[in-house]
Structure formats: structure tokens, C-alpha cells
Amino acid sequence: MSATKSPEKGGGGGVNSNRRIEHMFEQNQLSAMDFEAMSDEGLIEALRAVHGAAAAAQAAEVFAVRELYRRHRAASAEPGPGGVRAGEFAAAEAAVGLFVDEGTAAALIDIGLVLEEALPRTRVAFAAGRIDLAKVRVIVDSTRALAKEVVDALEPRLLEAAARTNPARLRQAARRWANRLDPAGTQRRRERRQEDRDVRIRAVQDSMAVFDGLLPAPGAQTVAMRLREMSLQVCANDPRTMPQRRADALVALADGSGRLCCRCGRGERCPKAGAPVEPPRRPLIQIGIAADTLLDMREAPAFLAGYGPIDAGLARSLAEHASFQVVPEHIDGDATDEAPRRVASEIRAVDGMCRFPGCTIPAAEGQLERSGGGLAVLCSRHGRLKTLADKRKQWRVWRADRDRLQWTAPNGEVHTTVREGARYLFPHSDIELPTVGTAEMQAVSSSTGPTYVGDNTSSRARRESTEPRPSSADRRTDRNAPITAFTADRPTGEELLYPLDGHIPLHRQLARIAPENDIPDDSSTQHR
């Protein structure tokens, strides 16, 4: 695909129009442009000029966060157990300042470093707004693991192609040229790329999630063929589509049953009946739901740990095989190393997730850290950041009250986090909930009382529970008792502004920046 410019036909445009748009961008007046007065050609020129100005702003953002990282690397390394890894919290500082996730900030840092170290022409074109972040990412990805002389020959051609095509076609051309210019490096690039293998789960709407990953091609094909084999284990009258069968087969692999059960509804008359199927293992998940919703008295959302809010009907179905733990609204006592495990789980229940601004790591995966006379849940990465704050270096953290934890960033900005889990355990505490002018809708936010924690765990974990499961009569008596909720949707970099989802950092030290990719130190896991 290619494009050429046509002469402007009235309505204002061309070079003067471009300069006017760039000036308006500098003055933050783009919304005041009179698009209705422009011709079609003028609108296209305006789009190009505005997009170029936005690309230049993206470049400035990349260069700024790269410089922040470089300064942190020079000043913040503290070796040893629990020490701060060089530069690792530059992404945290940038993410908090921009209200983006740390994975996105780390990707911006990585791209800035690659441009500075290996792609000077791309850096200049990006700074001038001639190419945008999406195309810069393609060039960065396509030149990784190439010899310097190949990159020097390939970069100018990629920039020429970027000026006349979209990112998808640019990626195709880059792969073709790289393989032709460096055929001997194919194995080297493959071996290097295999180090980036990963599996990701991302929450989407309506109690669904996207499950994807990056695997070596033979392994991916092995999974694909196994799922297809399982999808054909049912009879022709099974009502599911092939995509639905593959999805169900993946879950069957994970739950240990290893076989897809037919849903034709014909029972023993099904030709596939009688095939041996292992009983599925109980899922290692935690769910939370208000007791009156569990009893079908209202339809408040529930929470699934590691995912986020799910509808009440699904939560009631999951709760049929759950074990429970009582969690009071106001937790008394302190969880030390000798304190009962129950107290620690109560703190995790009300915190819900890591208490660092913007972090969505579930509380069950975090560790308890002392803060301002109490305890709060932090993931391993932000536990190290708090260690830095305790030494009065760069960050500061203190507890404003029972609910609020306040963080002061190195630039002096104060960010406050609250007990997210409590917003679902005790809905009346969610004071930021918008009101709707009907009694039925407002009733959803009026529940009070003690809390039950629903925990769908393995049989071994259930035997370790310190609280017996309440009887049906008990649950009928305590109508106001909610059940716990942990976690929230994990944000990604899929926004139009940051087309960085799935970016694999070229600099390995940045691969652990995202909290979900952090490997806890042995010293931190001892306090969980």
C-alpha cells in the first residue's frame, strides 16, 4: 500500500495549513480547528499534520522516560537481599505520573534505549513526527538480534517503507528483508526469541478473559493439535462450535479431566458415552460475593481473584463448592510471624490487591508489609520500593487512616490508595460509587455486616482452613454477610496512545518491571 499527495483544492491546506496546525498543537488549540470549513483534501492534510505532531509528542515522552531511567540506574542500585535493582523504579515513577501501567512505562524505556543505542535514524524520524510509535515499535522489533552491519543497511529502507505503509505491512517487509540480508542469523534469532516465551491472561468484559501466549512454533502446534484432537472426542450432535470446543478443551487440560465431555444431551445413547474421564480437580481460585446476593436477594457483582468483577449468577454457581472464612469489617489485632494465618488472610481480603498506586496484583500473591502501625499488602516488586521509602530515599509512604495509604513520589506528588477489597466486602464503604435515582439500584450499595471469604481451593488447602464452612441455616440467618473479593482487571498497553501490548523488552533488566513478571526474592517470600 502506498500513498501520494494531491494538490490542495480549496478549504485551506498544504504547507501553510500544516504549519498552522503545528502551531495550534503547540498552543493546545487543536480542538478549535474549523474542520467543517475544510475540503476533503484539507481534512486529509490536517489528519497527517495532527498525527505527525502527536508522533513528535510521543517521541518526547519516550525520550523523557528514558532519561529518567538512566538517572535512576546511576543512583538507585542497592545490592543484596531486598535491595533495589538499578533503575527499576523509574518505570514506577513514570507510571504513577502518567496513570499508566508499569509494563507500558517499561516498554517506553526499552524503546528509548534501543533508539539511542542502535537506531539513530529512526530516533531522528520519530522526533520529527515522520513516523509514529506503532511504526517505531515495528522497526525496533524487526532489528533485534541482527548484526550491526545488517541493521545499518536495513534501517534506511524501513524508514522509507514506514512513510508509505501501515505497521502490519511494514512488519511483513521487515521480516522478509531481514531473512534475505541475514539468512545465517535465522537460527540465532530463533534461539534468542525463544527466551521471550510467555503466557498471558487478560480480563475483558462480561466475565470473560483473553488467554494468549508466545510459544516456540513446535510447542504451539503441539497445543493446537491436542486441542483439535480433544474437540473431536464428542459426537456430531454436540451443539458447540469448533472454537467453543477448543476453548473447553483447554480448560479440560488444566483441570486434569483430559477429555471433552459431549453435550448432545442424549446420555447413554450418545456414541461417545462410556469413555473414561478423570474427575476434574477443584480450581485454585478465590471468589467473593455478598451474602444477600449469594441468597439471590440482590444482584451485586462478585469478584474473582486474578480477574475482577463477575456477575452474581456465575458467582453463585462457583460458590456451590466453596469453603468459607469469616472476615470482620474492622480487623482487630496485628498479623506477625506468630499470629494466626486467619488474621493475615483477613488483611489480604480487605486490601484486595497490592496497595501501590495503579498496581493490580491480587492480594493473595502479595506479602504483608508494616506501614504506619498496621499492615498492608504489597507485591514483591513494590515491597522493595517500600524498603526504599523506609530509608527515606526518593519515595515516602504513610497510613493516613484505617482505609487510606498515601505515597509521596520523588517529585513530591501524593498518591492515595484505599482498601479495594473492602469496597466489595462492605459496599457501604464505597463512597465514590455513583448514585442512580431508583431505590432498586441504590439498594445494591447498602449492605453492611461481617464478611465471609469464599475460597475454592484444593482439598489439601481446604483441610488447612481454620474456619468451618457455615451451614445453610447459618447463611440464612446472617443475611448481611458478604463474601470476599480480591483483585481487579490488569491493565494493558492496548490504548491507541500506547500501542505496546505484548512488547518484549530488548533490555533484559526491563523484563521484570511489570509487577506480574517479578520473581520474588527468597527473603520476601518468607513473610507471606
Side-chain angles (χ1 to χ4, degrees):
M1 184 177 65
S2 61
T4 58
K5 292 186 177 181
S6 299
E8 179 63 23
K9 299 179 181 179
V15 175
N16 291 335
S17 176
N18 291 351
R19 290 174 178 168
R20 185 164 58 251
I21 292 169
E22 291 169 358
H23 174 74
M24 296 181 74
F25 186 91
E26 294 171 358
Q27 301 298 319
N28 198 24
Q29 297 175 352
L30 290 178
S31 59
M33 293 178 63
D34 189 2
F35 294 111
E36 294 182 358
M38 295 182 183
S39 66
D40 291 351
E41 292 80 1
L43 286 172
I44 295 300
E45 289 297 330
L47 282 171
R48 286 176 175 156
V50 170
H51 190 79
Q58 287 178 325
E61 189 171 358
V62 168
F63 302 154
V65 73
R66 179 214 61 204
E67 176 61 23
L68 182 66
Y69 175 75
R70 187 161 53 188
R71 294 181 184 183
H72 275 252
R73 277 193 64 83
S76 67
E78 295 185 12
V84 177
R85 302 182 184 113
E88 68 170 325
F89 295 128
E93 188 174 345
V96 168
L98 294 174
F99 300 101
V100 300
D101 60 275
E102 290 180 60
T104 295
L108 294 174
I109 292 171
D110 184 64
I111 289 173
L113 292 173
V114 175
L115 294 180
E116 182 180 37
E117 297 165 357
L119 298 169
R121 298 180 183 87
T122 304
R123 185 186 187 280
V124 171
F126 190 25
R130 295 197 297 271
I131 56 174
D132 59 20
L133 181 57
K135 293 178 181 178
V136 169
R137 181 188 170 188
V138 171
I139 296 174
V140 169
D141 289 346
S142 301
T143 55
R144 66 171 66 231
L146 292 176
K148 184 179 184 303
E149 58 271 17
V150 177
V151 174
D152 291 342
L154 185 60
E155 185 184 13
R157 294 300 305 275
L158 289 176
L159 290 173
E160 292 174 7
R164 61 178 187 272
T165 191
N166 60 36
R169 295 295 295 271
L170 177 63
R171 189 179 296 276
Q172 290 181 357
R175 291 168 57 190
R176 182 177 72 252
W177 293 338
N179 287 335
R180 294 188 65 178
L181 290 174
D182 187 22
T186 302
Q187 179 178 346
R188 181 183 68 252
R189 292 191 295 274
R190 171 177 58 78
E191 292 173 349
R192 174 70 179 272
R193 190 64 164 168
Q194 286 178 350
E195 297 178 4
D196 299 326
R197 58 192 182 276
D198 184 22
V199 172
R200 300 174 292 269
I201 303 173
R202 174 168 53 87
V204 293
Q205 296 293 331
D206 302 322
S207 300
M208 300 294 285
V210 173
F211 184 97
D212 66 1
L214 182 67
L215 299 173
Q221 191 62 18
T222 299
V223 174
M225 295 309 296
R226 176 60 176 147
L227 295 181
R228 179 169 177 79
E229 177 186 356
M230 294 175 65
S231 299
L232 298 175
Q233 291 174 340
V234 297
C235 79
N237 292 316
D238 188 289
R240 288 171 290 186
T241 64
M242 185 59 74
Q244 291 170 342
R245 293 182 189 183
R246 287 196 299 267
D248 293 344
L250 182 63
V251 176
L253 280 178
D255 68 19
S257 58
R259 185 179 180 87
L260 202 60
C261 295
C262 189
R263 294 185 181 177
C264 66
R266 295 189 294 171
E268 294 298 326
R269 294 183 293 112
C270 174
K272 302 293 184 178
V277 179
E278 294 292 328
R281 294 189 295 266
R282 290 295 178 195
L284 301 175
I285 61 176
Q286 294 168 316
I287 61 171
I289 183 173
D292 44 10
T293 302
L294 180 65
L295 297 175
D296 207 9
M297 298 173 62
R298 71 174 68 191
E299 292 298 309
F303 243 61
L304 172 62
Y307 171 81
I310 59 175
D311 65 273
L314 175 58
R316 283 191 286 264
S317 175
L318 293 172
E320 291 178 2
H321 304 286
S323 59
F324 299 87
Q325 178 184 348
V326 176
V327 176
E329 179 172 2
H330 300 295
I331 299 175
D332 297 322
D334 198 357
T336 63
D337 291 340
E338 296 77 22
R341 181 181 302 176
R342 176 182 57 82
V343 177
S345 66
E346 290 172 358
I347 295 173
R348 287 190 170 92
V350 296
D351 278 2
M353 60 185 69
C354 174
R355 294 293 300 274
F356 185 76
C359 185
T360 57
I361 295 296
E365 299 179 21
Q367 59 203 41
L368 297 180
E369 296 280 352
R370 188 167 302 280
S371 176
L375 289 169
V377 174
L378 294 174
C379 67
S380 58
R381 171 173 165 74
H382 295 127
R384 292 197 303 276
L385 188 146
K386 184 183 175 296
T387 299
L388 188 69
D390 291 342
K391 298 176 181 178
R392 295 293 191 270
K393 293 183 178 180
Q394 297 182 330
W395 291 83
R396 292 188 61 191
V397 57
W398 73 96
R399 185 179 296 274
D401 53 38
R402 183 190 297 270
D403 184 58
R404 295 178 300 154
L405 201 63
Q406 293 189 324
W407 299 77
T408 301
N411 66 352
E413 291 183 350
V414 177
H415 302 268
T416 302
T417 62
V418 298
R419 302 182 307 171
E420 192 71 19
R423 269 55 183 165
Y424 300 93
L425 298 173
F426 316 106
H428 66 279
S429 68
D430 191 5
I431 59 176
E432 296 180 348
L433 178 71
T435 58
V436 180
T438 65
E440 179 181 358
M441 291 296 294
Q442 298 219 21
V444 174
S445 62
S446 62
S447 174
T448 60
T451 303
Y452 287 115
V453 175
D455 187 3
N456 280 12
T457 60
S458 64
S459 59
R460 178 183 62 82
R462 287 198 298 272
R463 287 195 300 270
E464 293 175 352
S465 174
T466 59
E467 296 292 335
R469 177 175 177 172
S471 65
S472 300
D474 292 335
R475 282 183 284 172
R476 284 195 299 269
T477 301
D478 195 357
R479 295 184 177 182
N480 291 325
I483 295 178
T484 195
F486 303 178
T487 204
D489 291 357
R490 297 186 181 189
T492 67
E494 287 188 320
E495 309 156 57
L496 180 61
L497 186 60
Y498 300 110
L500 298 169
D501 186 45
H503 175 76
I504 307 297
L506 189 66
H507 296 78
R508 296 297 174 181
Q509 71 272 20
L510 294 171
R512 292 178 59 173
I513 290 295
E516 61 269 23
N517 294 336
D518 190 77
I519 300 176
D521 296 321
D522 291 340
S523 59
S524 66
T525 57
Q526 294 173 0
H527 302 292
R528 294 189 59 169

